[in-house]
């Protein structure tokens, strides 16, 4: 009979993923997720943080580009991070991406904040690749089930210096004040309608004055007037979000809303760069990075890109 591998430490699992692309065993994943749930459960819906902190947008399973992101932005614990969600789907290494971030959360819980995106969902991950990746790498849906249970515990926002609100998607007509975010019941699947769904699905639009139907089929389009009123009511300088491809890595839709995108050459074909945003007591600054050179061709995306999602 073959030897059963002993449970490794957090450092050993991180090093295995980073240097050898070594997957965690199902037993290790079960233990890691159980511990992570306890940490996330202690966090409020909106985590309050102080600068300096670095904000990262969608990763979408581009694990090797995530490693570049840390090289550009600085490793933990010297640098603190907020990740805005969408860790899985579309890229070929969603398992590695998600578990690497969760392991960092276990090691330095106060130095990394993980928000929930619209792809941290059972329904979406069954369509856009994560479910199939788990089946391909582990042979059963158990790892997918464990990971999607963890999604239910992720927070919905972060507030930096009481001045910058970080969320995945956008605003909701049901959220007038920051205190309204505290009332969201986040421990469960993201609902199709309501404040929680809007926060992870909505998009800013210069073509809209107030609110409009979102072509994605969930959330809303919201205009500059809505964004400015929300910032005024809540004494905010900026709303930082992800959720939409930005060819230059980041994009100011309005003075009060910036999109950060951290998956360079999205879907291995879009030709965009990635970016991270550094928040300090001064104006935000950005660092740009390109797709990491691979020793072999990147895996094909598991689903043709549907940019609305």
């Amino acid at each position: 009979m073959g030897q059963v591998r002993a449970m490794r430490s957090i450092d050993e699992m991180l090093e295995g993923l980073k240097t050898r692309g070594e997957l965690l065993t199902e037993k290790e994943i079960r233990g890691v997720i159980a511990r992570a749930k306890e940490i996330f459960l202690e966090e409020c819906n909106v985590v309050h943080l102080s600068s300096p902190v670095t904000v990262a947008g969608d990763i979408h399973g581009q694990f090797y580009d995530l490693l570049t992101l840390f090289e550009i932005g600085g490793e933990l614990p010297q640098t603190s991070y907020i990740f805005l969600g969408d860790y899985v789907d579309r890229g070929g290494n969603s398992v590695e991406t998600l578990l690497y971030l969760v392991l960092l959360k276990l090691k330095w819980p106060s130095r990394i904040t993980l928000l929930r995106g619209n792809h941290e969902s059972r329904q979406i991950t069954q369509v856009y690749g994560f479910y199939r990746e788990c089946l391909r790498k582990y042979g059963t849906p158990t790892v997918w089930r464990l990971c999607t249970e963890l999604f239910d515990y992720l927070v919905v926002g972060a507030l930096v210096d009481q001045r910058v609100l970080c969320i995945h998607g956008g605003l909701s007509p049901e959220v007038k004040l920051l205190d309204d975010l505290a009332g969201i019941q986040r421990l469960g699947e993201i609902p199709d309608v309501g404040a929680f769904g809007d926060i992870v699905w909505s998009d800013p639009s210069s073509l809209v004055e107030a609110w409009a139907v979102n072509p994605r089929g969930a959330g809303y389009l919201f205009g500059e007037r809505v964004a400015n009123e929300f910032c005024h009511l809540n004494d905010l300088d900026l709303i930082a979000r992800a959720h939409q491809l930005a060819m230059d890595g980041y994009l100011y839709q309005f003075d009060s809303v910036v999109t950060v995108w951290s998956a360079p050459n999205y879907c291995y074909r879009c030709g965009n760069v990635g970016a991270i945003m550094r928040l300090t007591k001064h104006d935000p600054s950005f660092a740009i990075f390109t797709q990491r050179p691979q020793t072999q061709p990147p895996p094909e995306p598991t689903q043709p890109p549907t940019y609305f999602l």
Side-chain angles (χ1 to χ4, degrees), residues 2-222:
Q3 291 184 342
V4 177
R5 190 169 76 186
M7 181 77 76
R8 295 173 293 168
S9 68
I10 292 174
D11 285 340
E12 288 170 332
M13 287 184 276
L14 283 168
E15 183 65 17
L17 280 168
K18 182 177 181 179
T19 62
R20 299 182 297 278
E22 190 173 86
L23 292 171
L24 278 63
T25 66
E26 183 180 310
K27 182 179 179 181
E28 287 172 334
I29 292 171
R30 193 178 297 275
V32 164
I33 287 180
R35 293 168 63 186
K37 284 180 179 178
E38 296 176 0
I39 293 174
F40 288 128
L41 195 57
E42 294 176 356
E43 295 182 328
C44 298
N45 280 0
V46 178
V47 179
H48 288 238
L49 301 167
S50 298
S51 62
V53 63
T54 296
V55 179
D58 292 23
I59 305 296
H60 277 303
Q62 296 183 206
F63 176 61
Y64 298 101
D65 297 317
L66 175 65
L67 299 181
T68 298
L69 184 156
F70 285 123
E71 292 171 4
I72 298 297
E75 300 287 346
L76 283 80
Q78 288 77 20
T79 304
S80 294
Y81 284 92
I82 300 168
F83 282 82
L84 300 177
D86 280 11
Y87 314 110
V88 301
D89 284 339
R90 296 232 172 83
N93 299 100
S94 292
V95 171
E96 294 91 329
T97 298
L98 176 65
L99 293 176
Y100 194 81
L101 290 170
V102 172
L103 285 166
L104 291 176
K105 182 69 174 179
L106 291 186
K107 187 171 184 180
W108 290 295
S110 65
R111 304 295 284 176
I112 181 169
T113 300
L114 301 178
L115 274 55
R116 191 171 186 177
N118 64 301
H119 278 260
E120 278 68 65
S121 153
R122 293 163 180 81
Q123 181 180 5
I124 297 298
T125 53
Q126 288 184 72
V127 176
Y128 289 94
F130 184 50
Y131 178 81
R132 291 191 298 276
E133 182 183 329
C134 290
L135 285 182
R136 185 173 72 251
K137 291 179 176 177
Y138 290 94
T140 75
T142 301
V143 167
W144 172 82
R145 180 180 56 79
L146 291 169
C147 292
T148 54
E149 286 176 1
L150 179 66
F151 294 161
D152 293 344
Y153 290 74
L154 297 175
V155 301
V156 300
L159 184 63
V160 181
D161 295 336
Q162 302 296 317
R163 306 295 295 180
V164 179
L165 176 65
C166 299
I167 50 180
H168 177 71
L171 299 177
S172 168
E174 296 185 19
V175 176
K176 303 295 185 184
L177 301 172
L178 290 177
D179 286 347
D180 296 330
L181 295 174
I184 290 175
Q185 172 52 258
R186 78 175 199 256
L187 296 179
E189 182 71 333
I190 300 170
D192 293 331
V193 296
F196 192 5
D198 296 343
I199 291 299
V200 300
W201 279 98
S202 292
D203 297 295
S205 173
S206 60
L207 303 177
V208 173
E209 182 178 358
W211 300 99
V213 173
N214 194 331
R216 295 179 187 264
Y220 291 85
L221 298 180
F222 62 94

Side-chain angles (χ1 to χ4, degrees), residues 281-294:
K281 300 299 182 183
H282 307 289
D283 290 338
S285 62
F286 298 85
I288 305 300
F289 61 101
T290 58
Q291 185 180 22
R292 191 182 188 99
Q294 301 289 317

